[in-house]
Every structure is written in C-alpha cells, then in structure tokens.
C-alpha cells in the first residue's frame, strides 16, 4: 500500500538576507511516521523545521501540510493549518511568569472556546501523558530541564495536533533523561498516531526513534542522504554520512 504524504516539501530555498542556507529541498513526510532531520552544525536543520512549521517564509518553493500550501494560502487557511501542528522548541519556550498548567492551557483557551472546567481537565490529561501530573502549579524555573522539555511537549500536544515538530528534544539533557524523552516520543507516536518531525544530532536518539532520516549538509546546502539510519550507517555511498553515523573523524 502506498504511503500517504501529510507534508510535502518542494524545491524549497531558505535563507536570511543574502545568506542562502538551503536550496532545492525536496522530500515527503508520511502520515504517522517519525522523520528525523539531522546533519552537522550549521547545516540548516532548525531552519528547515521553522519553514516546515510556517514560522518562516521560504525564498522560493513550497511546503504543503495536509493538502494546503502554507507558502501561498490565505490567513484563514493558514490559521486552520496551525491548529493541526504542535511545536516543541529547543529551549521549550515556556512563559516564565505562568505556571505549567497555564502554559499548556494557553493554546486551548485561545483556539478551542471550551469552558474553564473542560480546559482544566484537558490540561490534566496532557500532564499525565508526559508524567508531570502534580506539577500544575509549578513555574518553569521550579522544574528541571527534562521536565521543561516534557512540559513543552505537553503544550505542543494541547490541541491534539496531527503533526508534531520537535527541535532538539534531548539537547542538554543527561543520558537517562534523554532516554526518557525518547521513550515518550515513541509512546506518543504509537498511542495517538501523531506524525513527528524531529531535529537532532544525538546519535542515540536517532537510532532509537527514527523510522527514517534526511541528512543535510552545509556545503551542499541540501540533502545528501535519506533512509533508514541503521542502513545508512554502513551502506551509504557518501563517506561523510558513514562518518557521521559511526562517529569517525576525517583525519
């Protein structure tokens, strides 16, 4: 059975000012899969994610989400698309003056129109999903880095999105906490069927969660490999790809 593409990136060029970071990017993300975007520092991983999520506009090309081209659609359609996605930022981006519950409730209150009791129940459910029940009234400054990541993930899931964009979800975490986040990503993918686009350079996370990867290269300004990471580790025709997956230097 042919896989259904929920995200389509076509001939995407991205950059800031005169600095071209990505050029002629083409790939699909299939419904229900975990796709990992990886590559060396400065290759444009987070830039690609921001353009896929509609946070930045490309220099040229298109990004279609669930059939809608977000680079050309009107504001009404774009607002509808935004309700289908959730984003976990690298820094978690929680509002420091708001409790964890208030952070998670914010998008629900903004977009759903549900009564307060229903919002409260939804927040409690999201916190339970990420094992943060009991931390509703804590401020972000009162919880650990790993807990902030989980709280950010709960907020990203607040509107039950079809697609989750996760930017470096395990960056800066100790190995045990990083492994817990990886398990949580797999659990969410399996339990709710959300499509996930994950940006990371952490090899353990890549081999743990990725069903497929695309690898970017700074020099090429584009994709140099895509496929199963276990296969690419030993079988890629590109020497840099094999070095990356095997943690080998060029010396």
């Amino acid at each position: 059975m042919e896989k259904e593409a929920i995200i389509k990136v076509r001939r995407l060029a991205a950059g800031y000012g005169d600095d071209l970071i990505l050029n002629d990017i083409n790939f699909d993300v299939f419904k229900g899969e975990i796709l990992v975007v990886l590559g060396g520092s400065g290759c444009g991983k987070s830039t690609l994610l921001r353009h896929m999520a509609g946070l930045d506009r490309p220099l040229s090309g298109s990004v279609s989400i669930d059939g809608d081209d977000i680079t050309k659609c009107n504001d009404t359609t774009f607002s509808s698309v935004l309700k289908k996605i959730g984003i976990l930022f690298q820094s978690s981006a929680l509002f420091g003056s708001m409790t964890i519950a208030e952070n998670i409730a914010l998008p629900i209150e903004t977009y759903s129109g549900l009564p307060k009791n229903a919002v409260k129940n939804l927040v409690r459910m999201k916190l339970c999903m990420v094992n943060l029940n009991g931390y509703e009234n804590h401020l972000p400054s009162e919880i650990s880095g790993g807990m902030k990541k989980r709280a950010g993930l709960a907020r990203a899931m607040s509107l039950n999105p079809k697609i989750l964009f996760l930017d470096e979800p395990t960056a800066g975490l100790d190995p045990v906490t990083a492994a817990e986040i990886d398990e949580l990503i797999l659990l969410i993918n399996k339990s709710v069927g959300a499509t996930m686009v994950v940006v990371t350079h952490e090899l353990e996370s890549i081999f743990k969660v990725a069903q497929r990867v695309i690898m970017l290269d700074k020099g090429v300004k584009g994709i140099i490999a895509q496929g199963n990471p276990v296969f690419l580790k030993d079988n890629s025709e590109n020497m840099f790809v094999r070095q990356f997956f095997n943690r080998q230097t060029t010396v």
Side-chain angles (χ1 to χ4, degrees):
M1 183 179 296
E2 187 176 349
K3 295 180 180 178
E4 179 183 353
I6 193 169
I7 304 175
K8 297 180 180 180
V9 179
R10 296 292 182 267
R11 307 201 69 178
L12 181 76
Y16 304 102
D18 296 327
D19 187 14
L20 180 66
I21 298 174
L22 299 169
N23 190 39
D24 199 24
I25 304 294
N26 297 276
F27 66 95
D28 292 337
V29 183
F30 301 111
K31 187 175 181 180
E33 82 167 330
I34 302 176
L35 176 76
V36 171
V37 180
L38 53 93
S41 298
C43 68
K45 299 185 296 294
S46 293
T47 295
L48 178 57
L49 182 141
R50 291 183 61 85
H51 282 75
M52 291 174 70
L55 299 176
D56 292 331
R57 293 191 65 84
L59 300 176
S60 61
S62 65
V63 176
S64 295
I65 294 181
D66 207 17
D68 292 308
D69 183 350
I70 62 172
T71 63
K72 297 181 176 65
C73 66
N74 58 35
D75 291 343
T76 301
T77 301
F78 185 63
S79 179
S80 175
V81 171
L82 288 180
K83 296 177 185 178
K84 300 178 182 180
I85 69 175
I87 306 172
L88 171 61
F89 295 96
Q90 184 173 346
S91 63
S92 299
L94 299 171
F95 293 101
S97 61
M98 301 171 67
T99 66
I100 301 304
E102 289 170 341
N103 268 279
I104 298 169
L106 184 60
I108 303 174
E109 293 170 340
T110 302
Y111 292 106
S112 72
L114 291 172
K116 287 186 177 181
N117 283 343
V119 172
K120 188 175 181 179
N121 288 334
L122 274 175
V123 169
R124 188 180 297 113
M125 288 172 57
K126 302 305 178 184
L127 285 169
C128 286
M129 287 180 70
V130 299
N131 299 318
L132 280 180
N133 44 309
Y135 288 90
E136 293 89 342
N137 298 319
H138 285 63
L139 294 171
S141 61
E142 298 172 336
I143 61 177
S144 68
M147 295 169 76
K148 288 177 185 176
K149 294 279 190 180
R150 284 189 271 155
L153 188 52
R155 187 178 62 182
M157 296 191 300
S158 59
L159 294 174
N160 299 320
K162 291 184 176 182
I163 303 165
L164 286 169
F165 294 101
L166 312 179
D167 192 4
E168 299 283 5
T170 60
L173 302 179
D174 66 82
V176 173
T177 304
E180 291 174 349
I181 297 296
D182 288 341
E183 290 291 346
L184 184 57
I185 289 171
L186 291 171
L187 177 63
I188 291 168
N189 174 255
K190 183 178 180 179
S191 61
V192 303
T195 303
M196 295 183 171
V197 179
V198 183
V199 167
T200 185
H201 61 271
E202 304 283 350
L203 281 178
E204 287 194 28
S205 292
I206 292 167
F207 288 119
K208 180 72 174 180
V209 307
Q211 297 168 5
R212 188 165 59 96
V213 303
I214 62 169
M215 187 169 186
L216 303 178
D217 180 76
K218 185 176 181 179
V220 174
K221 301 184 186 298
I223 299 171
I224 58 172
Q226 57 181 306
N228 183 285
V230 176
F231 177 83
L232 293 173
K233 180 176 183 287
D234 297 317
N235 298 284
S236 174
E237 296 179 358
N238 188 302
M239 182 178 66
F240 176 73
V241 174
R242 296 195 308 272
Q243 288 172 334
F244 182 94
F245 283 114
N246 289 281
R247 297 190 66 187
Q248 295 174 341
T249 66
T250 56
V251 179

